[in-house]
């Protein structure tokens, strides 16, 4: 069965059990936002206990505080009233397995999916690729705890972010499902 | 109870029921990715039938094909093997209620949350604000079906996106939970 049909079948089931969710308001009822990674193993609604209507969820590769994540966070508080934010990276993140140089080289070699060998990602496709990847900052991660602190710091320091908003930093452990808080004081010793 | 404690309590519950999810692989098992809005009413795992490990989920304000969303999608296929992508905007999106000019003015006026009146968002806070918002493209939406088509088109046309990847466009209806497909042929007449 194709993914498209599977998704639409699952959606029909969801519609049949939709209940009174049409009544939900646009502003998040619990007034907070989560910025986390797109990783398939993470379900922020499940790991943080969210129901529909509760909180904004922003996700990208790495859960990084990119300009676009900050665009979303500023809209989240300025127009829709969120008052607390969580930055949640995770253990065993794909962003730890490459850097800008490697990604540029892989994309220059081909646009097909690379293989992950014990030497890291290696290209197995046939060209043509594109050198365009060399002009993108992929926002990779060398150390999870450090990247959480960097992103929390970048968000707090942003001109458009009021100092009244607490920004909590966490690492989600894909081996246990646990959220481990990361602060300047605790970042040394947190497993990545 | 503070949101932080609520989230951590919910997480403890999740950890206690984590089961065998530590076995999940990094690459999405069902080899697809969803780009959708951060809106609190949307739970893509529920509306599209995802379990942990199934699919990448990328979310930002509007579900827009920003440069950062494209960064994430390229990582998704090039390193982690996704083969089909969904762009899913939704009805009653906050991004339909303002534009770049208004957002710039609101942020210049103050950094406190605006009120939504029958005249649209109005500032009710006290300054100081910041003129920095005038330099950001907020990627607002005038028409949902048109924005879905624009974003699908932008992704398909990107130099780093192989033509073999199907990109499906949908609008999620917040009144029913239904996914409505949007194509060039159907975009006229789809409610936004």
């Amino acid at each position: 069965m194709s993914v498209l049909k599977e998704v639409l079948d699952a959606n029909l089931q969801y519609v049949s059990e939709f209940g009174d969710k049409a009544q939900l308001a646009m502003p998040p009822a619990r007034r907070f936002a989560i910025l986390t990674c797109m990783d398939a193993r993470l379900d922020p609604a499940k790991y943080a206990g969210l129901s529909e209507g509760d909180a904004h969820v922003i996700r990208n590769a790495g859960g990084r505080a990119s300009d676009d994540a900050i665009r979303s966070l500023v809209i989240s508080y300025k127009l829709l009233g969120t008052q607390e934010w969580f930055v949640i990276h995770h253990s065993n993140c794909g962003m730890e397995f490459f850097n800008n140089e490697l990604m540029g080289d892989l994309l220059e070699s081909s646009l097909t999916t690379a293989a992950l060998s014990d030497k890291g990602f290696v290209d197995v496709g046939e060209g043509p690729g594109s050198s365009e990847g060399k002009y993108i900052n992929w926002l990779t991660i060398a150390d999870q705890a450090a990247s959480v602190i960097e992103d929390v710091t970048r968000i707090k320091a942003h001109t458009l972010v009021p100092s009244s908003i607490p920004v909590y930093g966490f690492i989600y452990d894909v081996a246990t499902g646990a959220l481990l808080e990361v602060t300047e004081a605790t970042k040394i010793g947190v497993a990545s």
Side-chain angles (χ1 to χ4, degrees), chain A residues 130-142:
Chain A
S130 164
S131 60
E132 196 65 28
K134 296 180 187 290
Y135 295 83
I136 292 176
N137 185 339
W138 298 94
L139 301 178
T140 61
I141 292 174

Side-chain angles (χ1 to χ4, degrees), chain A residues 30-37 42-50 55-60 63 69 72-73 76 82 84-89 168 170 179:
Chain A
R30 292 172 61 199
R31 296 192 172 200
F32 70 100
I34 291 176
L35 167 61
T36 195
C37 184
L42 275 55
D43 186 336
K46 288 188 184 162
Y47 75 56
L50 309 180
H56 283 145
V57 180
I58 300 157
R59 301 181 66 174
N60 63 35
S72 300
L73 287 168
S76 176
T82 60
E84 299 177 69
W85 296 342
F86 294 73
V87 174
I88 306 178
H89 297 179
Y168 312 116
F170 283 90
L179 291 174

Side-chain angles (χ1 to χ4, degrees), chain A residues 2 14-15 17 27 33 61 68 102 116 167 181:
Chain A
S2 79
Y14 184 68
V15 169
E17 300 162 355
D68 196 54
L102 176 63
L116 184 54
V167 186
E181 190 159 14

Side-chain angles (χ1 to χ4, degrees), chain A residues 127-171:
Chain A
S130 164
S131 60
E132 196 65 28
K134 296 180 187 290
Y135 295 83
I136 292 176
N137 185 339
W138 298 94
L139 301 178
T140 61
I141 292 174
D143 175 279
Q144 282 294 348
S147 69
V148 169
I149 296 287
E150 274 173 26
D151 285 359
V152 167
T153 302
R154 178 168 200 238
I155 292 167
K156 281 174 171 278
H158 196 281
T159 315
L160 294 175
V161 172
S163 57
S164 59
I165 298 183
V167 186
Y168 312 116
F170 283 90
I171 292 174

